Amino acid sequence: MTARGDPLGDWRPRGFRACDSRTNRVDRLVARGLVVRESVPGDRRRLHIALTDAGRDLVDRVAEGHVRNQRKILSGLEDTDRDELGRIPRELLVSLGDTP
């Protein structure tokens, strides 16, 4: 996310296709104090969403557990195999326009 948030239309969690589903999900995140909606200057139809400090803290806590779990899962692989496993998704992302 940017410092000013991201457009709600660009925020598509896996499994949510309809705009109403995204809106309902964001409503729940706002109610929990994890994100805020921000108006877009010059465009009353658009809103950006941004993480609050509480939202960032939650992401940090979840990410730490996720990284620990990944290390545990991959611990049975040799270093070269782990490197190869990381190389392929990087190549795919670059082919889709991401930076290396």
Side-chain angles (χ1 to χ4, degrees):
M1 268 191 201
T2 63
R4 296 177 56 211
D6 290 324
L8 179 57
D10 292 349
W11 191 74
R12 291 186 178 98
R14 187 180 321 145
F16 288 87
R17 294 189 182 115
C19 184
D20 289 343
S21 295
R22 285 191 304 256
T23 300
N24 291 336
R25 175 58 57 101
V26 172
D27 286 345
R28 290 194 300 270
L29 293 170
V30 168
R32 292 178 59 195
L34 300 174
V35 300
V36 293
R37 286 184 172 96
E38 299 173 341
S39 60
V40 176
D43 190 348
R44 295 183 343 189
R45 296 171 299 152
R46 296 186 68 197
L47 292 172
H48 284 181
I49 58 170
L51 287 170
T52 62
D53 289 341
R56 278 187 211 84
D57 290 344
L58 178 60
V59 168
D60 289 344
R61 285 194 315 272
V62 170
E64 289 172 12
H66 180 67
V67 169
R68 274 194 309 273
N69 191 47
Q70 284 183 326
R71 285 186 181 133
K72 180 179 176 183
I73 290 169
L74 299 175
S75 66
L77 295 176
E78 297 292 328
D79 288 345
T80 55
D81 292 334
R82 280 195 297 274
D83 291 344
E84 183 70 4
L85 191 58
R87 182 190 61 77
I88 295 168
R90 275 193 304 277
E91 282 186 19
L92 179 60
L93 288 172
V94 168
S95 76
L96 296 171
D98 202 359
T99 56

